[in-house]
Amino acid sequence: MRIVITGASGNVGTALLRRLTRDAGQEHDLVGVCRRPPAGGQPYEAVSWTALDLAGPDVDEALRPVVRGADAVVHLAWGFQPSRDITYLDRLGIDGTRAVIDAVHAEGVPHLVHMSSVGVYSPGPDSPEGLGVDELWPTEGIESLAYSKEKVAAERLLDEYERLHPDGAVVARMRPGLIVQRDAGSALLRYGVPSYVPGGLLRHVPVLPVDRNLVVPIVHTTDVADAIARVLERRSAGAFNLAADPPVTRDLIADVLGARAVHVPRQVLRVLTDVAWRTQLQPLDPGWIDLAFALPLLDTTRARRELDWAPRVDARTALAGVVAGMADAAATTSPALRPRSVVGELAALVRRGPVVKRLLP
C-alpha cells in the first residue's frame, strides 16, 4: 500500500514505521509528513519525507499532491507545546485535521485513520477499578485543557465529513490511553519537566505526592502501532479504544519509581501546578491535572474482537520502560524524539525562550 503518515517522526509515528517496515512479504510505499524530517537512521530511512507544518499557510494546497494516489492516510500530527500559544495549537490540531480531511476527500483517498485520544471522552463514571467505557461513551472532553478540546473538535470534523460524504473515505478513529515507550523519554522530559531538572533524578524519587484516587489507562506505543497496522490491513472503520492492563494507579507509579506514596488532594496539586506554570517554573499546563483525574478507563473489547488485537506489553512494564527512558534521556535520530540534556535545554531556553512559548519544543 501507499500510506501517507502525518506526524510520522513522532512517538507513535516512529513505532508505526517500525511496524510497517517489518511486515513480512510487504513493501509499503511510506510517505512521512512532519515539520522536521529526520536526517537518517532506522526506521526513518525507508520513508519519503515531506517537510510541512499543518498549522502553516496554504497547507490545503500543499497536502493535496502529497496524498494523491495514497491507499490510506494516517493522521498522527499533533501539538502539546507551546502550551501558552493556544492559537497555534488550535491551528495545528483543528485546522490541520480539517486540511487533512479536505485533501483526503479531494484526492479520493479511500481510507483515513485518525489518531484521537482517551482525552475526547467525557469524565468517566464512578465505577470500581477495572471497569471501562466503550466507544459509545460521550465525547465532550474537558473544558480546561486545550488538548482535550482540540481532540474533540477534530472528531466533530470527522463526524461532519461522514455525514456529508457517506460514500467518501472510510474513517477510523484510534482512542488510546496515554501512549508511552522508552524512546519517547527525552520528548516527555522536554514537554513536561523543567529544563533545569536532570531526568536521572527519576531514579532517586523518595516520595510521590499524588492524590490516592489517581487511575489512568496507558498503552505501549508499539501496541498502538500494531492496532493502526491492523486497521490499515482490514480497512476498518469506526472508533477503537486501546489500553493495557492493569490500570495505572498512584501506588503502581510509586512502586515503579521506588518511592513512598503520599496523599496530596488533586485540588492542591492543581493549584501548585498552575502557579508553577504561570511563573514558567515548569511547562505542564495545569489542565493536564484535570484530565488525569477525569479520564475514564477503557473497554477494549471492540479492538480485540474486530482487529484480533491485544496489547503485548502490560501497563506496568510499559510504565517502567518509559520511566527508565526518561531517566536515561532515551531518544532516536528524529528531531521530535532527539536526546535531551540539561545543558542543551538551558541553552535553548536562553536562545529561544521557554518551551511553553516556542513552536518547536
Side-chain angles (χ1 to χ4, degrees):
M1 290 190 289
R2 184 173 190 270
I3 305 169
V4 177
I5 307 167
T6 71
S9 65
N11 178 21
V12 178
T14 296
L16 181 58
L17 295 180
R18 288 171 177 158
R19 171 65 169 78
L20 293 175
T21 54
R22 282 204 307 259
D23 280 356
Q26 298 187 40
E27 292 187 5
H28 300 296
D29 178 9
L30 302 177
V31 179
V33 178
C34 66
R35 292 179 295 179
R36 297 165 292 174
Q42 292 296 333
Y44 311 111
E45 292 177 345
V47 181
S48 299
W49 291 96
T50 295
L52 184 62
D53 185 350
L54 294 186
D58 303 320
V59 66
D60 301 82
E61 294 181 9
L63 266 177
R64 286 190 57 174
V66 178
V67 307
R68 188 169 297 148
D71 297 291
V73 170
V74 181
H75 179 38
L76 306 177
W78 209 261
F80 300 92
Q81 293 288 358
S83 58
R84 289 184 176 275
D85 189 350
I86 303 303
T87 300
Y88 174 80
L89 293 178
D90 284 351
R91 289 204 315 273
L92 177 58
I94 303 173
D95 295 338
T97 298
R98 182 183 291 108
V100 170
I101 294 171
D102 289 346
V104 163
H105 181 66
E107 296 299 329
V109 179
H111 197 192
L112 172 59
V113 182
H114 171 70
M115 178 53 66
S116 188
S117 167
V118 64
V120 302
Y121 285 123
S122 301
D126 292 328
S127 60
E129 181 182 316
L131 296 181
V133 304
D134 66 14
E135 291 83 357
L136 297 179
W137 189 255
T139 55
E140 298 298 333
I142 65 168
E143 283 296 316
S144 58
L145 181 63
Y147 170 85
S148 179
K149 292 191 292 183
E150 289 152 2
K151 286 292 187 182
V152 170
E155 287 226 17
R156 294 295 177 269
L157 292 174
L158 294 173
D159 294 341
E160 181 182 31
Y161 173 77
E162 291 184 304
R163 178 178 60 82
L164 294 176
H165 305 286
D167 297 324
V170 171
V171 177
R173 314 171 193 213
M174 316 307 294
R175 294 177 182 162
L178 306 182
I179 308 171
V180 298
Q181 67 167 329
R182 175 181 170 80
D183 282 350
S186 280
L188 291 174
L189 287 171
R190 194 171 288 110
Y191 288 139
V193 176
S195 58
Y196 51 81
V197 176
L201 289 180
L202 286 172
R203 299 191 186 93
H204 310 287
V205 177
V207 175
L208 180 67
V210 175
D211 192 303
R212 65 171 64 95
N213 295 312
L214 178 71
V215 55
V216 296
I218 76 168
V219 60
H220 196 275
T221 313
T222 57
D223 286 321
V224 175
D226 181 56
I228 295 172
R230 291 168 184 266
V231 165
L232 290 168
E233 292 162 1
R234 293 163 171 78
R235 193 167 287 182
S236 300
F240 295 94
N241 288 344
L242 305 172
D245 291 324
V248 171
T249 62
R250 178 203 64 174
D251 291 343
L252 178 57
I253 298 172
D255 183 53
V256 167
L257 290 171
R260 181 169 64 91
V262 174
H263 175 66
V264 175
R266 64 184 181 183
Q267 295 86 348
V268 175
L269 292 175
R270 216 281 183 186
V271 169
L272 293 175
T273 304
D274 186 43
V275 170
W277 180 71
R278 290 179 185 277
T279 55
Q280 300 185 26
L281 293 176
Q282 62 85 21
L284 193 68
D285 186 314
W288 286 99
I289 302 297
D290 301 331
L291 184 66
F293 288 96
L295 291 176
L297 298 179
L298 298 175
D299 180 342
T300 61
T301 299
R302 184 168 191 256
R304 294 170 184 269
R305 182 182 65 244
E306 298 192 17
L307 303 178
D308 296 320
W309 175 86
R312 295 186 179 184
V313 183
D314 66 86
R316 191 188 193 286
T317 301
L319 179 64
V322 74
V323 168
M326 293 173 73
D328 296 336
T332 75
T333 59
S334 166
L337 302 179
R338 67 190 184 278
R340 184 257 197 194
S341 69
V342 170
V343 172
E345 291 304 301
L346 289 176
L349 177 65
V350 172
R351 293 195 315 269
R352 300 163 53 207
V355 70
V356 297
K357 291 184 177 180
R358 59 186 192 245
L359 298 186
L360 296 174

